[in-house]
Amino acid sequence: MLWQKLIGKADGQNLASLLAVIWNYRRTDFRGFMKSHRAAIKQGKESGDYVPGVMNYYSLMSDLITLCSGPYWHFVPMLKGKSRAESHSQFHHTMTCYLGAGKEDTVLEIGCGYGEMGRQVAKISGASVTGLTMADAEIVGGNERIKAAGLDDRCKIVQGNYHKTDFQDASFTKVFGIYTLKYSSDLDAVFREVARLLKPGGTFLSYEILVTDEFERAKPEHKKYVENISTCTCMPPLWPAEAMRAAAQKAGLVPVVEEDIGAGPNVRPWYTCFTNGVYQILACPLLLPFFRCAETLRLLPPSFSEWFENLLVKALLLQKKSSTLDKK
């Protein structure tokens, strides 16, 4: 269609994505959502329990992220000369290779969301994969996607908290998480549970957003960027790399490889998935005043501009400058 040729498809992180959000969420209760978001942030900081806030965040954002990004939820190394979809395809193969999964393996993905990565591991390796998530919508949606992909003979998604699961000891040969441990406020509990679930000689793979050894809390700019990421998504403060290493060692896991897969010679910065599309749109200084005016005229729901500014603009513009992706 000419329209799509001019502005792109809605799942391409572009102008079409923004228009799709405005249309599809024009009757959403953003005022109620932002109120609960602020309350959850406060509760998390006071109690250390960020689970309710994370679940509240994804009650709205799961479908919205899928609408704007398709199945590609995670930031991955963007390969030179390759599209976003091609870069994600290579990432799936890279992660499956690091995991070492094969047809005889039983694999658990913790914090799986809709289970895109788990399905890819099953398709690439032939392994049996179980996804674990707490969100009802992700269980339903994820299992629908499994059926549509023809993988229901070796994939499933179940409900559970990866800090303490109902699985028997030594249930899996491989366990992995993609952008998962950033939601945990108790790394020791997670690594202890992973160690319990793994068969002897099993492998745990984690691809995370975290603060590197170069992070300096005393620098206001560093602190601002890191705190903003947590506040936008209502997750705990990002873990330092050293805390990951210490928790793994405490649980009895032996480090095999720690690598920044985004540092290769043929890799563009991960945020370049934005720089030719939605980044320029969201960075436009006229957009937020326009949305506020549209709210006043009742063309957009109340607090749409507050949600847009705090959960989209700040998250995107600051993450572009601050995030570092490490594969551990």
Side-chain angles (χ1 to χ4, degrees), residues 44-249:
K45 290 180 177 179
E46 292 174 350
S47 67
D49 181 10
Y50 289 84
V51 171
V54 171
M55 294 186 69
N56 177 71
Y57 175 82
Y58 281 110
S59 68
L60 173 66
M61 298 300 291
S62 287
D63 286 337
L64 191 146
I65 293 171
T66 301
L67 173 67
C68 298
S69 302
Y72 310 123
W73 278 36
H74 307 109
F75 297 121
V76 305
M78 299 298 292
L79 305 177
K80 293 180 180 179
K82 301 293 183 180
S83 67
R84 186 168 68 97
E86 290 170 331
S87 295
H88 275 269
S89 178
Q90 180 59 56
F91 173 78
H92 297 150
H93 283 80
T94 299
M95 291 296 99
T96 302
C97 180
Y98 274 108
L99 189 61
K103 291 183 179 180
E104 304 304 317
D105 282 309
T106 52
V107 180
L108 174 68
E109 180 183 8
I110 59 174
C112 68
Y114 285 120
E116 170 67 14
M117 188 66 222
R119 292 193 301 276
Q120 294 298 328
V121 169
K123 287 172 64 176
I124 294 167
S125 70
S128 297
V129 181
T130 298
L132 185 72
T133 181
M134 291 189 295
D136 293 331
E138 292 177 352
I139 295 170
V140 174
N143 282 316
E144 288 175 350
R145 289 163 170 78
I146 287 171
K147 186 175 181 180
L151 294 170
D152 42 343
D153 61 328
R154 49 194 157 124
C155 290
K156 63 180 178 181
I157 295 180
V158 300
Q159 192 164 43
N161 186 327
Y162 55 73
H163 294 82
K164 185 175 179 58
T165 72
D166 294 329
F167 299 116
Q168 298 295 314
D169 292 357
S171 293
F172 302 95
T173 58
K174 315 285 185 184
V175 177
F176 76 94
I178 308 295
Y179 268 33
T180 299
L181 300 187
K182 66 178 183 176
Y183 295 114
S184 173
S185 56
D186 190 348
L187 281 185
D188 287 344
V190 180
F191 279 94
R192 187 167 57 244
E193 183 67 359
V194 167
R196 183 184 74 81
L197 294 176
L198 280 172
K199 295 180 184 292
T203 299
F204 175 50
L205 170 70
S206 179
Y207 176 81
E208 295 298 331
I209 178 172
L210 44 73
V211 291
T212 70
D213 297 328
E214 287 73 34
F215 173 72
E216 296 182 36
R217 182 167 292 278
K219 288 188 175 182
E221 189 178 39
H222 284 200
K223 184 178 179 181
K224 174 185 176 182
Y225 291 156
V226 170
E227 288 182 350
N228 177 75
I229 294 171
S230 299
T231 301
C232 289
T233 56
C234 202
M235 66 185 184
L238 291 178
W239 290 100
E242 182 53 41
M244 297 274 188
R245 302 183 190 110
Q249 184 178 21

Side-chain angles (χ1 to χ4, degrees), residues 307-320:
W307 166 82
F308 176 81
E309 179 181 20
N310 289 282
L311 270 68
L312 287 190
V313 176
K314 287 184 178 179
L316 176 59
L317 301 189
L318 287 183
Q319 283 196 50
K320 180 180 180 296

Side-chain angles (χ1 to χ4, degrees), residues 76-80 262 267-275 320:
V76 305
M78 299 298 292
L79 305 177
K80 293 180 180 179
V267 177
R268 294 177 287 134
W270 61 267
Y271 55 77
T272 53
C273 63
F274 294 126
T275 52
K320 180 180 180 296

